[in-house]
Amino acid sequence: MNYAHSELASLKSSMTSEEAKAQLQALGEECLEKEARLKKIKSGKDSVTPEESRKIHNTHTDATKAWRKRKRMSNDILNSILEGYPKSKKELYEEIGIETDEDYGITVPSR
């Protein structure tokens, strides 16, 4: 009897033929869209122009420079505070709530 109940529950939770056909059609359409997108990408029609590439590179370089500058300035300020602070650097950072790049394993990109 228990087997019959579990079999009935299994059948009720499975898809009907109409639902399966609808899902198959939706997945087929999605597959066609992805294939068309892949073909477009492979053809190079959506490639980045040299001007866009240069602009992206310059933006990245500027952001990296600003990151280094802010990091250097904040380290200078914190080191000045540490000169008169009775506890360790780690304790100061915890007390203030500072999270460093190193805490998350992040390094500033090389030049």
Side-chain angles (χ1 to χ4, degrees):
M1 181 101 178
N2 196 13
Y3 174 73
H5 286 294
S6 64
E7 185 69 23
L8 179 62
S10 173
L11 290 173
K12 284 184 177 180
S13 66
S14 63
M15 276 191 234
T16 65
S17 296
E18 293 80 25
E19 291 172 336
K21 286 178 185 177
Q23 186 177 12
L24 179 63
Q25 183 177 358
L27 290 173
E29 291 171 3
E30 184 181 345
C31 184
L32 289 174
E33 290 171 7
K34 302 263 185 198
E35 285 176 347
R37 182 171 175 232
L38 180 61
K39 187 183 287 186
K40 190 176 180 182
I41 290 170
K42 283 185 175 181
S43 71
K45 291 181 181 176
D46 281 345
S47 63
V48 178
T49 65
E51 181 181 323
E52 290 174 318
S53 177
R54 200 171 20 262
K55 184 177 177 184
I56 292 168
H57 177 74
N58 289 340
T59 302
H60 179 264
T61 302
D62 292 345
T64 304
K65 285 179 184 176
W67 182 0
R68 280 192 189 94
K69 182 179 179 181
R70 286 191 304 271
K71 185 172 182 172
R72 186 174 40 254
M73 288 176 12
S74 63
N75 281 334
D76 290 345
I77 292 169
L78 287 167
N79 287 333
S80 295
I81 293 171
L82 278 170
E83 288 177 7
Y85 192 71
K87 298 179 184 174
S88 70
K89 183 176 185 177
K90 183 177 180 181
E91 290 173 318
L92 173 65
Y93 282 18
E94 284 180 18
E95 189 174 313
I96 297 175
I98 294 177
E99 298 172 344
T100 64
D101 297 335
E102 291 77 16
D103 291 342
Y104 293 95
I106 299 171
T107 57
V108 180
S110 61
R111 298 174 191 207

